[in-house]
Amino acid sequence: MVSKSYSNLLDMTCGDGFDFRQPFKSLPRVVTSPGIISDPDWDTRSDGDSVGSASSTERKIIVANFLPLNCTKDETGHWSFSMDDDALLMQLKDGFSNETDVVYVGSLKVQVDPSEQDQVAQKLLREYRCIPTFLPSDLQQQFYHGFCKQQLWPLFHYMLPICLDKGELFDRNLFQAYVRANKLFADKVMEAINTDDDCVWVHDYHLMLLPTFLRKRLHRIKLGFFLHSPFPSSEIYRTLPVRDEILKSLLNADLIGFQTFDYARHFLSCCSRLLGLHYESKRGYIGIEYFGRTVSLKILSVGVHVGRLESVLKLPATISKVQEIEQKYKGMMLMLGVDDMDIFKGISLKLLGLELLLERNPKLRGKIVLVQIINPARSTGKDVQEAITEAVSVAERINTKYGSSDYKPVILIDHRIPFYEKIAFYAASDCCIVNAVRDGMNLIPYEYTVCRQGNEEIDKLRGVDQKTHHTSTLIVSEFVGCSPSLSGAFRVNPWSVDDVADALYRATDLTESEKRLRHEKHYRYVSTHDVAYWARSFAQDLERACKDHYSRRCWAIGFGLNFRIIALSPGFRKLSSEHFVSSYNKASRRAIFLDYDGTLVAQSSINKAPSAELISILNTLCDDPKNNVFIVSGRGRNSLDEWFSPCEKLGIAAEHGYFIRWNKSAAWESSYSNPHREWKHIAEPVMQVYTETTDGSFIEPKESALVWHYLDADHDFGSCQAKELLDHLERVLSNEPVAVKCGHYIVEVKPQGLSKGLAVDKLIRTLVNNGKAPDFLMCIGNDRSDEDMFESINGMTSSAVISPTVPEIFACSVGQKPSKAKYYVDDTNEVIRLLKTVTRNSSRREDVSHGRVSFRDVLDYVD
């Protein structure tokens, strides 16, 4: 429970928050409580080993589970380290300028004794700009081999634990280990950050909670996240018990990157369905609105380091190996598969496709050979062992059935081989096949394409013209991330053995000119969309996503993994109850305009009728002779009349002001006499069609309007149908005197010129003409139709409607979102609390005026 003093501090800060529009050296590192910022952390460290020393150099902090380092320890106990030039994290540096200071944060692939950790950390920072995160061995086991590999990784590859012997059920203890590990990574990242101009780039599913832990400490940190694995569809992802926590943490990043649009689409669907968030594309960029922040999405697949591959291809050892391979398989078509050993790479399915090819085409026996390189498994488990056993069994069956003493159709290389040898196989192979049933990206086809381009020395040894004779053939699964970018490849459904066999046959039947054209198309893309291009593009988009950091005012709310930042424009702030009550008490005439649905009653409430508490609050407000209180709603007058019949003095503007009644005893007024309603006969049949095809939707007929509701429909389908209905109605009603509007889960058709803004303007003008010009205006609403009210009463300050005194205006939105209001409150509960507060004050002051309590009692109450 939040203490009273805590709430007062929060309200005080919200009422007069710090203006961050002017940047300064360093923002505070610690948030002591929501809305309260600790003193700035002026970093004055000058230790030569510190990455936090002041510098004007641009810094990129790359965070991943493992550092791009090779680690060995000799017999004497001496540690040796070297940068892994083949690691993606190492290669992405080429996308940054030479002046950029790149710092790496991550774990080592080996365990370091606690007594050696300080020494090793200093050495890595000094010599390699690496900050190691030392996880205890038991935590590493639970975090990496437990939650990451047993739960997240299978789920993100569409594998659900349906049976206990086929997968691991969710384990809360493993998730707690995941949380602890991410916290330790966050601590290390904070050691690397010097100023808020530093960019932090977090990689992959191991660290999906890191954005929350970093955003807690630095509200304006430039934070990007890139997911290298697939992101599953919402039907799969929603089975994860901690689904909301992970989504909310990712949304604390400024930019989230995905390999393909499919993965981004699944993420957006999860945000929409599980968190109720909205997204849109603006000028080519997709953004999710999240508590005033726009979280950008980046869709760009990772590339390869072309220069690194070309340099290895030039090595004498590589050229010699190419010659050896070509000589060994001379006269045969060499097909190549390179895969990690895991259950999703489809190695056995690939071999079954080859078996079917040889069965159907006896003439190809002895003329094709598949070399399958199997990289060591990254995880252990029953499933991995079963996959290895199955692949070996199928390979042996094929070799026994279709091989001979001097010919084996399948060559399995199931041990680690040098990188140059793998490059040589790429260069020598006529066809490369990637048959994974699910894979985030898979760079094997890109590496193969670059290596098939060859070089001058290899071409000379082959006796071919370097300018004209380069070919390659790719067979790629539809379910790998690189597939959309390789339009010249044979795309296959890996689950269909027939499909794989057909693609293998077509690959053997290609002409040289076809092979050349396909290769040229792929090489042109791969060489221009390399790893440097990917890193540079992501960094540029991260800067764009963070460009308005200093133009917003920020507050921290939520605890634990529900932490988030509310970012507001400088003129939009949380309504301070103290300021509001003070202004309310000082006013001599007040006009109060309240929306109903989503403002006084929660949008999700099944029973939409007002509670007894709400009726009591409204009656107390209306009993104050200084008040003129109105419900301004889109609902019909009959339901509002019935619900608020106990409120004798309450004014009602029904159907967005089409009908107005000043109190219960007054007659309903309407400015729209003899309305033309033939348009209803056109609109209603159209709406009926969409109602019948959209489960959960319904039509609300009003006297002045027709409203199509889709709150209870499927979120994505309902939104899609609403857009289509809006377009349909605009076309068929183009010659009618009506307006078609989209609201909060509604599509509405109503007479032109009808709005809550005009209704409020009419009510205020009537009050002024009757000599009751208000000096206090309050308007609270929650959706698009209420924006007209906000605009109307905000305009009172510059108009001559109310004179000579300019009223104090409180235009207040329910929920933090882009609005024309100047204030906001969090939800309907806060609206009720606010109204209850002023009614209690009014009652106390009325008791004082009648001598029922002393003024000292009032002061004690206020204190």
Side-chain angles (χ1 to χ4, degrees):
M1 182 174 179
V2 180
S3 68
K4 182 178 179 181
S5 60
Y6 187 101
S7 300
N8 289 341
L9 286 172
L10 177 59
D11 291 338
M12 180 177 65
T13 306
C14 295
D16 190 18
F18 191 86
D19 189 352
F20 287 100
R21 285 172 289 176
Q22 297 299 324
F24 50 89
K25 285 185 181 178
S26 175
L27 285 176
R29 295 285 178 92
V30 180
V31 180
T32 56
S33 64
I36 305 302
I37 309 298
S38 63
D39 291 335
D41 179 15
W42 305 108
D43 198 338
T44 58
R45 291 173 289 177
S46 58
D47 185 358
D49 290 342
S50 173
V51 293
S53 55
S55 171
S56 59
T57 304
E58 180 186 16
R59 175 175 292 137
K60 308 275 189 212
I61 301 167
I62 310 298
V63 193
N65 184 36
F66 290 120
L67 291 169
L69 288 171
N70 296 313
C71 316
T72 56
K73 189 176 185 180
D74 60 26
E75 296 177 354
T76 64
H78 177 72
W79 283 102
S80 297
F81 302 96
S82 63
M83 297 302 296
D84 184 359
D85 292 333
D86 298 323
L88 177 68
L89 299 184
M90 184 64 185
Q91 295 172 353
L92 62 78
K93 289 177 62 176
D94 285 5
F96 308 144
S97 66
N98 294 331
E99 293 75 27
T100 302
D101 177 21
V102 179
V103 179
Y104 294 100
V105 177
S107 297
L108 294 172
K109 297 176 184 178
V110 295
Q111 284 293 323
V112 178
D113 190 88
S115 62
E116 300 177 290
Q117 289 178 359
D118 286 344
Q119 182 180 356
V120 168
Q122 292 177 18
K123 178 182 178 65
L124 294 181
L125 177 58
R126 183 172 58 251
E127 298 180 13
Y128 302 102
R129 303 298 287 164
C130 291
I131 300 178
T133 302
F134 298 110
L135 300 181
S137 58
D138 58 337
L139 179 59
Q140 174 71 15
Q141 178 67 28
Q142 290 181 309
F143 157 65
Y144 181 68
H145 295 288
F147 192 75
C148 290
K149 285 301 182 182
Q150 291 181 18
Q151 298 186 354
L152 281 182
W153 187 77
L155 182 79
F156 278 30
H157 288 77
Y158 287 72
M159 181 178 175
L160 295 177
I162 298 175
C163 301
L164 288 177
D165 61 339
K166 294 295 182 183
E168 297 290 337
L169 292 176
F170 178 78
D171 188 335
R172 179 68 60 174
N173 292 327
L174 294 183
F175 177 66
Q176 291 301 330
Y178 186 77
V179 174
R180 292 198 304 273
N182 275 252
K183 283 183 178 179
L184 291 176
F185 273 88
D187 293 339
K188 292 299 179 180
V189 173
M190 290 304 299
E191 293 179 13
I193 294 177
N194 181 37
T195 72
D196 293 295
D197 289 328
D198 295 345
C199 291
V200 179
W201 188 359
V202 182
H203 290 262
D204 223 5
Y205 64 94
H206 315 90
L207 302 173
M208 291 192 292
L209 299 183
L210 197 55
T212 285
F213 295 130
L214 294 177
R215 188 68 68 186
K216 274 185 179 181
R217 306 185 191 189
L218 287 175
H219 293 180
R220 285 172 176 75
I221 186 174
K222 296 178 180 178
L223 181 55
F225 179 91
F226 194 90
L227 183 67
H228 294 265
S229 76
F231 195 92
S233 66
S234 61
E235 288 76 13
I236 298 294
Y237 180 79
R238 70 197 309 168
T239 64
L240 184 65
V242 289
R243 60 193 189 182
D244 289 357
E245 290 87 337
I246 289 177
L247 282 182
K248 290 175 181 178
S249 180
L250 290 176
L251 290 169
N252 276 320
D254 296 298
L255 178 66
I256 307 173
F258 297 93
Q259 303 276 17
T260 71
F261 173 71
D262 274 349
Y263 305 158
R265 177 169 56 86
H266 294 157
F267 176 77
L268 291 171
S269 179
C270 288
C271 290
S272 175
R273 290 174 177 271
L274 300 179
L275 302 181
L277 301 178
H278 298 277
Y279 58 88
E280 60 182 345
S281 179
K282 293 182 179 179
R283 298 183 179 179
Y285 295 101
I286 301 175
I288 303 173
E289 292 300 320
Y290 188 60
F291 291 94
R293 297 171 52 244
T294 299
V295 181
S296 298
L297 264 61
K298 174 77 172 176
I299 303 168
L300 182 64
S301 57
V302 178
V304 296
H305 196 296
V306 177
R308 168 65 175 162
L309 295 172
E310 290 176 342
S311 65
V312 175
L313 198 58
K314 292 178 181 178
L315 296 175
T318 307
I319 296 173
S320 175
K321 190 65 180 180
V322 171
Q323 287 182 291
E324 178 188 329
I325 295 169
E326 291 181 342
Q327 184 63 35
K328 183 176 181 179
Y329 300 106
K330 188 174 182 180
M332 290 187 283
M333 180 175 184
L334 178 59
M335 296 184 172
L336 178 68
V338 181
D339 300 282
D340 293 340
M341 175 43 72
D342 68 53
I343 58 177
F344 298 111
K345 290 301 187 284
I347 297 174
S348 296
L349 293 172
K350 183 191 307 183
L351 297 178
L352 290 175
L354 177 66
E355 183 179 33
L356 184 58
L357 173 72
L358 295 175
E359 180 184 328
R360 290 177 174 176
N361 302 276
K363 64 179 181 178
L364 293 178
R365 299 170 190 173
K367 295 183 179 180
I368 62 172
V369 62
L370 172 63
V371 174
Q372 177 62 55
I373 299 174
I374 301 177
N375 299 322
R378 300 185 186 181
S379 60
T380 59
K382 180 181 176 182
D383 289 335
V384 174
Q385 292 303 317
E386 288 178 351
I388 295 173
T389 302
E390 185 179 46
V392 171
S393 174
V394 176
E396 289 177 349
R397 186 177 72 230
I398 294 173
N399 288 336
T400 302
K401 191 173 181 180
Y402 300 110
S404 62
S405 58
D406 58 348
Y407 166 67
K408 289 184 178 181
V410 179
I411 306 297
L412 282 184
I413 302 177
D414 57 356
H415 57 273
R416 191 181 297 275
I417 63 174
F419 185 62
Y420 79 87
E421 192 170 328
K422 193 182 297 182
I423 295 298
F425 272 106
Y426 285 145
S429 299
D430 300 291
C431 175
C432 180
I433 176 171
V434 175
N435 202 52
V437 296
R438 187 74 60 180
D439 209 348
M441 180 58 192
N442 202 313
L443 295 175
I444 299 301
Y446 288 5
E447 294 176 347
Y448 167 74
T449 300
V450 173
C451 293
R452 286 295 290 176
Q453 184 69 11
N455 57 43
E456 186 175 356
E457 190 167 350
I458 292 178
D459 288 341
K460 283 182 180 178
L461 293 172
R462 290 173 174 166
V464 297
D465 184 356
Q466 184 185 18
K467 295 181 179 179
T468 60
H469 193 86
H470 293 113
T471 64
S472 64
T473 305
L474 281 170
I475 301 174
V476 180
S477 164
E478 299 171 355
F479 302 106
V480 298
C482 64
S483 176
S485 63
L486 299 171
S487 56
F490 293 112
R491 295 196 182 102
V492 296
N493 175 5
W495 297 104
S496 171
V497 176
D498 286 329
D499 202 10
V500 176
D502 289 343
L504 289 170
Y505 180 79
R506 292 167 66 192
T508 65
D509 202 37
L510 282 178
T511 64
E512 287 298 307
S513 60
E514 283 184 283
K515 294 178 183 178
R516 189 178 303 116
L517 288 172
R518 291 170 185 266
H519 171 77
E520 289 173 356
K521 187 174 188 179
H522 292 159
Y523 183 75
R524 187 162 53 247
Y525 176 85
V526 173
S527 60
T528 55
H529 293 73
D530 59 359
V531 65
Y533 174 86
W534 169 72
R536 183 167 53 252
S537 180
F538 189 92
Q540 290 172 349
D541 277 9
L542 180 57
E543 289 290 342
R544 177 192 56 79
C546 300
K547 69 180 185 300
D548 64 344
H549 270 192
Y550 288 102
S551 65
R552 299 296 185 94
R553 306 167 69 243
C554 294
W555 280 271
I557 64 172
F559 298 97
L561 296 178
N562 288 315
F563 173 87
R564 56 201 179 276
I565 291 292
I566 289 184
L568 309 175
S569 62
F572 188 51
R573 62 187 65 195
K574 186 176 176 65
L575 181 61
S576 165
S577 59
E578 284 84 354
H579 176 50
F580 175 77
V581 171
S582 174
S583 300
Y584 180 92
N585 291 334
K586 292 176 183 177
S588 56
R589 289 195 186 93
R590 312 182 192 100
I592 300 172
F593 304 98
L594 304 171
D595 174 43
Y596 185 67
D597 291 280
T599 300
L600 299 178
V601 175
Q603 199 81 47
S604 58
S605 176
I606 297 177
N607 182 9
K608 297 295 185 181
S611 64
E613 180 188 33
L614 177 57
I615 294 294
S616 174
I617 291 172
L618 292 175
N619 275 328
T620 304
L621 284 174
C622 294
D623 287 341
D624 190 329
K626 297 180 180 179
N627 290 344
N628 287 281
V629 184
F630 296 89
I631 296 293
V632 185
S633 173
R635 284 190 174 270
R637 58 175 171 173
N638 292 332
S639 58
L640 293 175
D641 186 21
E642 177 185 352
W643 287 346
F644 294 104
S645 58
C647 303
E648 300 282 345
K649 301 178 183 178
L650 178 67
I652 297 177
E655 299 190 18
H656 298 125
Y658 189 87
F659 297 107
I660 294 176
R661 188 181 72 183
W662 286 83
N663 52 61
K664 185 177 179 179
S665 60
W668 288 99
E669 304 172 4
S670 177
S671 302
Y672 301 85
S673 57
N674 300 320
H676 172 71
R677 295 179 181 172
E678 292 182 3
W679 58 266
K680 283 190 175 184
H681 301 296
I682 302 173
E684 191 165 11
V686 175
M687 285 186 172
Q688 191 62 44
V689 171
Y690 285 83
T691 302
E692 293 172 356
T693 57
T694 310
D695 189 32
S697 66
F698 66 91
I699 300 172
E700 180 191 1
K702 299 180 181 179
E703 293 180 68
S704 65
L706 286 174
V707 186
W708 186 73
H709 295 261
Y710 63 97
L711 176 63
D712 297 326
D714 177 86
H715 188 281
D716 291 340
F717 184 58
S719 299
C720 178
Q721 290 288 81
K723 292 176 183 177
E724 182 65 26
L725 175 60
L726 180 71
D727 182 61
H728 195 162
L729 289 172
E730 285 178 341
R731 289 199 307 270
V732 300
L733 297 173
S734 58
N735 295 323
E736 301 294 330
V738 294
V740 185
K741 299 290 184 181
C742 227
H744 192 64
Y745 293 107
I746 65 167
V747 176
E748 184 174 25
V749 184
K750 60 185 180 181
Q752 289 178 346
L754 179 62
S755 73
K756 289 184 179 181
L758 292 176
V760 167
D761 186 71
K762 177 182 178 181
L763 291 170
I764 293 175
R765 290 178 184 274
T766 302
L767 289 173
V768 172
N769 293 337
N770 292 337
K772 298 180 179 180
D775 56 359
F776 176 96
L777 287 174
M778 175 189 178
C779 175
I780 305 182
N782 77 307
D783 66 14
R784 297 179 189 176
S785 64
D786 300 312
E787 295 297 315
D788 295 329
M789 281 201 296
F790 302 148
E791 186 175 24
S792 178
I793 71 166
N794 285 333
M796 296 295 172
T797 58
S798 57
S799 70
V801 175
I802 303 176
S803 60
T805 304
V806 176
E808 185 147 19
I809 294 175
F810 290 90
C812 186
S813 168
V814 180
Q816 193 286 313
K817 52 185 175 287
S819 174
K820 296 174 183 176
K822 293 184 178 179
Y823 301 96
Y824 79 93
V825 292
D826 291 328
D827 51 31
T828 56
N829 291 330
E830 192 167 350
V831 175
I832 299 300
R833 285 197 300 270
L834 195 68
L835 296 178
K836 192 185 295 185
T837 300
V838 295
T839 56
R840 282 202 301 259
N841 280 351
S842 295
S843 299
R844 289 274 179 158
R845 291 180 183 277
E846 186 177 349
D847 289 341
V848 170
S849 65
H850 289 83
R852 290 192 287 268
V853 296
S854 68
F855 190 72
R856 171 56 58 190
D857 292 333
V858 176
L859 294 178
D860 291 341
Y861 171 78
V862 173
D863 290 340

